[in-house]
Amino acid sequence: MTALAQDRRPARLAIAGIAALALGAVGVLVLGLVPPTDQISVTRRTISEYGLSDNKWVFDLAVVLVALGSAVSLAVLRLQRRLPVVSAIFGGLWTIGLLVIVAFPKTDWAAGADSGAGGTLHRAASVLAFVCLPLAVLLAARTAFPHSPQRRFAARLLAALSLGWFAIILGAIAVAAFTDGRWWEIIPLGLVERGMALTELVALAALAAPARQLS
C-alpha cells in the first residue's frame, strides 16, 4: 500500500500543477468580465494591460499561479524522466519570464510614459516566455510519451499551433516594415496573444497530464 501511495504522488502533483494553470487562466478570463478591466479590449489590448489597472493584484496572482503550476508540472516531468534537459531549460525560462512580467509591468503608453528598463524587461520576458514554452513541449513530446503516439502527436500539434500564433505577430512586424505602418494595428494583437497564451497552457497541460505508460 505504501509503494502504491508513493507511485500516485507524482500524478497528484501533476494534477495540482494543471489545476494551478487552469486557475491562472480563469483569473485572466475574469479580468475581462469585471470592471474596470472589462473596458479593456480583448481583441486589441494585450493581457499585460490588466497589470496597469486597479485589478493589478488579480493579474499578478493569475500569472504567479501559472508560473507555479508550470514549475510543479515541469518538475514532476523531470523527476519522472519524461522531460529532456533542453526542455527543462526552456521550461525554466518560460517560468522565469512569467515572474519577470509580474515584477516589471509593461510601459503605460496611454499615460505618455517612456519605455524604461522595466518596460524593456517586460517585453523581453514576454517574448522569451511565449517562445520557450512551445519549444519545451515540442522537444519533450517524444520522451514524455514514448508509448503513446496519439498523445505525442497532440502535444506536438499544440506546440506547433502556439508557434503559429507567434508567427502571426512576426508576419505583422514584417509587413509593417515595408508599409511604414504600426504592426500592432495590422492584427488584432490582443486576440492573437490570448489565443497564443491559451494554446500554450493547453499544450503544457497535455504534456504534464499523467501518462499510463512511462519510459
Side-chain angles (χ1 to χ4, degrees):
M1 293 296 292
T2 302
L4 181 60
Q6 289 177 342
D7 289 341
R8 289 177 177 173
R9 289 175 187 172
R12 290 171 179 170
L13 282 173
I15 293 172
I18 293 172
L21 294 177
L23 285 173
V26 169
V28 173
L29 177 62
V30 168
L31 284 170
L33 301 175
V34 300
T37 44
D38 60 337
Q39 299 302 311
I40 296 175
S41 172
V42 297
T43 58
R44 288 294 173 183
R45 298 294 183 180
T46 64
I47 299 172
S48 294
E49 197 80 19
Y50 296 137
L52 300 176
S53 71
D54 292 339
N55 289 336
K56 180 182 185 301
W57 70 273
V58 180
F59 168 78
D60 290 347
L61 177 60
V63 177
V64 169
L65 279 171
V66 172
L68 178 61
S70 300
V72 171
S73 299
L74 294 167
V76 171
L77 285 166
R78 185 62 186 160
L79 288 173
Q80 293 177 325
R81 298 182 180 178
R82 297 173 57 208
L83 192 72
V85 173
V86 64
S87 291
I89 293 173
F90 280 131
L93 291 174
W94 149 264
T95 305
I96 293 171
L98 292 176
L99 296 177
V100 172
I101 287 171
V102 171
F104 299 95
K106 68 167 291 184
T107 302
D108 190 355
W109 302 109
D114 293 328
S115 181
T120 300
L121 280 173
H122 182 96
R123 289 196 303 275
S126 298
V127 173
L128 182 71
F130 280 131
V131 172
C132 283
L133 181 60
L135 290 178
V137 174
L138 195 63
L139 295 172
R142 183 178 182 83
T143 303
F145 305 115
H147 307 297
S148 181
Q150 294 86 357
R151 293 189 65 178
R152 185 164 61 243
F153 174 78
R156 286 173 172 169
L157 178 61
L158 288 165
L161 289 174
S162 300
L163 293 173
W165 284 110
F166 190 72
I168 294 175
I169 295 176
L170 294 180
I173 293 174
V175 170
F178 289 99
T179 62
D180 293 327
R182 297 176 176 178
W183 69 267
W184 57 89
E185 294 180 349
I186 295 175
I187 58 174
L189 180 58
L191 187 62
V192 171
E193 188 188 68
R194 284 166 175 77
M196 180 166 54
L198 178 60
T199 308
E200 294 196 2
L201 291 184
V202 174
L204 179 56
L207 187 72
R212 293 181 180 179
Q213 291 180 302
L214 304 179
S215 58

